[in-house]
Amino acid sequence: MKKSSTDKFEIKKLPSLKRQAMSLSQEGLIKTEFIQSGKFLPLIVQPTVEGVNLAVWATRNRSFIETELLKYGGILFRNFKVNGVVEFEEFIESISGELLEYRERSSPRSHVNGNIYTSTDYPASQSIFLHNENSYQHTWPLKIFFFCITAPQQRGETPIADVRKVFQHINPKIRELFIQKQVMYVRNFGNGFGLPWQTVFQTTNKLEVEEYCRKNGIETEWKNGNCLRTKQVRQAVTKHPKTNEMLWFNHAAFFHISSLESTMRESLLAEFRESDLPQNTYYGDGSTIESSVLDEIRSCYQQETVTFPWQEGDILMLDNMLVAHGRAPFVGCRKIVVGMAEPYSHRAI
């Protein structure tokens, strides 16, 4: 399902990329700055001299990177002249080790190299609502990395928002309701809309699908026509494993039918009963999430959303539990690839 809510979800544009007060660090090899005074996401890290190898520098400065990432939630590495996807992979491995395979998929992506994928293959005209990668799954990546191979001619930003602050904005009564009830995700595969289950689970074997779902707390129901319905209840709110900060960490708004652009929403509701929609969300007990609650959640994301224009060679590193990301529509060729690392699960929580 394509995520677009341009009628409800306006991205706050930062007025400029004016340099703010900068600091030299790490023996003068890099400098840090912010896009705008008073805006601390993302932290921008740039080399001060030519020829700094980002992967080598990152290996020697992992503690610095981790400290800054936990503080700000996202780091934009700019002007390091990363030469292609292989060097991007090397950078990720230098910080986070082995990259993760994209399993239990929710959006169309193309394989690029190793465990590097296109960020999304949705049409350029579509927005993608803010979300923390794989927060609907039993296991998710702690880190997610984006590499700009080709910057779009217009727009195409990757909006980001600190979900610590999103959590703080949400009405305490709503937060408590979700803490108690959690979120239920219902997905229907094989109806001609969205990804087929064979793509989502990367197998054509139904027994393998059932075994994966059993291990990951997902209910399965096979329907006529080789169709599959799944249900899973997950957290809506959690704590960060290192900072212990409370986070709004879920796909409650992202997967909900009301977050789709109006034409797509109306088309799906005309085609399917609510229970047969390609995907939708409910409270964990199966009851309906009120429209007013979803409107407030989207508004809270909006309050914390910031953007920056991509430049070729940029690498955006996010703490996937601290910061949500999305995509703005764009004009022209745009190629952003993504890698994920450091799996974390409910068992750890």
Side-chain angles (χ1 to χ4, degrees):
M1 292 170 72
K2 300 168 185 173
K3 298 295 164 194
S4 178
S5 55
T6 54
D7 54 336
K8 299 181 180 178
F9 179 68
E10 294 295 328
I11 295 172
K12 291 193 297 186
K13 286 253 186 174
L14 299 182
S16 68
L17 284 174
K18 294 180 180 178
R19 289 189 175 185
Q20 304 302 314
M22 64 179 65
S23 61
L24 293 178
S25 57
Q26 304 305 299
E27 301 177 356
L29 291 179
I30 62 103
K31 60 185 177 183
T32 61
E33 58 191 29
F34 299 101
I35 290 175
Q36 182 189 22
S37 179
K39 299 291 183 181
F40 303 112
L41 177 68
L43 174 71
I44 302 176
V45 173
Q46 301 186 73
T48 59
V49 295
E50 291 289 331
V52 177
N53 183 295
L54 181 57
V56 172
W57 178 86
T59 300
R60 295 172 179 172
N61 294 278
R62 290 177 65 177
S63 178
F64 169 79
I65 292 171
E66 183 70 16
T67 298
E68 299 304 288
L69 188 68
L70 290 175
K71 183 187 300 182
Y72 300 110
I75 301 176
L76 179 64
F77 296 92
R78 175 162 282 178
N79 296 327
F80 280 93
K81 297 182 180 178
V82 178
N83 295 313
V85 171
V86 172
E87 289 193 8
F88 175 51
E89 281 189 279
E90 291 173 354
F91 167 68
I92 297 175
E93 291 170 349
S94 71
I95 297 175
S96 297
E98 186 178 355
L99 280 74
L100 303 179
E101 183 182 358
Y102 184 40
R103 297 293 301 273
E104 201 181 326
R105 304 181 179 196
S106 67
S107 63
R109 299 189 184 193
S110 299
H111 176 256
V112 178
N113 184 71
N115 282 326
I116 301 295
Y117 304 85
T118 55
S119 58
T120 182
D121 293 338
Y122 280 141
S125 61
Q126 298 295 324
S127 295
I128 299 177
F129 192 79
L130 286 163
H131 58 285
N132 300 82
E133 197 68 32
N134 296 354
S135 69
Y136 60 90
Q137 293 189 20
H138 192 280
T139 301
W140 56 82
L142 281 177
K143 304 288 196 308
I144 185 166
F145 302 79
F146 301 86
F147 175 40
C148 179
I149 297 174
T150 305
Q153 180 182 343
Q154 297 176 25
R155 297 291 309 277
E157 304 95 340
T158 297
I160 51 180
D162 189 325
V163 295
R164 293 171 289 196
K165 296 179 180 179
V166 172
F167 174 81
Q168 293 166 6
H169 285 308
I170 295 173
N171 184 309
K173 292 182 179 180
I174 294 176
R175 295 195 313 235
E176 185 60 31
L177 187 60
F178 275 98
I179 289 171
Q180 295 298 324
K181 290 190 173 186
Q182 302 185 294
V183 182
M184 176 185 288
Y185 302 103
V186 179
R187 302 179 70 181
N188 288 282
F189 308 100
N191 52 23
F193 285 80
L195 299 176
W197 60 263
Q198 295 90 339
T199 299
V200 170
F201 296 102
Q202 292 293 284
T203 181
T204 58
N205 188 317
K206 290 184 177 182
L207 293 178
E208 290 181 4
V209 172
E210 292 171 2
E211 179 64 10
Y212 175 90
C213 290
R214 185 189 64 79
K215 289 181 177 179
N216 289 276
I218 304 172
E219 295 181 24
T220 57
E221 177 188 350
W222 294 103
K223 303 187 295 181
N224 293 334
N226 203 30
C227 295
L228 171 66
R229 175 182 293 149
T230 64
K231 293 181 181 179
Q232 58 209 81
V233 176
R234 301 290 190 239
Q235 81 295 319
V237 172
T238 191
K239 286 184 179 181
H240 193 278
K242 295 183 178 179
T243 69
N244 284 322
E245 293 168 291
M246 297 299 293
L247 312 171
W248 185 253
F249 187 74
N250 58 70
H251 272 54
F254 181 82
F255 275 162
H256 197 273
I257 183 68
S258 64
S259 290
L260 292 174
E261 63 177 358
S262 58
T263 53
M264 175 63 75
R265 181 172 64 248
E266 291 167 4
S267 175
L268 287 172
L269 289 173
E271 180 76 18
F272 301 107
R273 297 179 302 174
E274 182 179 312
S275 61
D276 292 328
L277 288 168
Q279 56 198 28
N280 205 8
T281 59
Y282 303 86
Y283 289 117
D285 60 5
S287 58
T288 300
I289 303 174
E290 299 85 350
S291 297
S292 60
V293 169
L294 290 157
D295 287 342
E296 173 165 342
I297 292 170
R298 285 187 284 261
S299 174
C300 293
Y301 277 112
Q302 177 186 340
Q303 292 177 60
E304 290 303 324
T305 298
V306 294
T307 65
F308 62 90
W310 281 111
Q311 294 181 17
E312 186 173 315
D314 281 351
I315 291 179
L316 177 64
M317 175 185 183
L318 299 180
D319 183 305
N320 183 48
M321 291 190 70
L322 295 180
V323 174
H325 65 275
R327 192 198 72 180
F330 62 92
V331 174
C333 182
R334 177 189 191 270
K335 188 170 184 181
I336 309 292
V337 298
V338 63
M340 296 170 278
E342 300 182 34
Y344 192 74
S345 72
H346 288 283
R347 295 184 184 93
I349 295 175

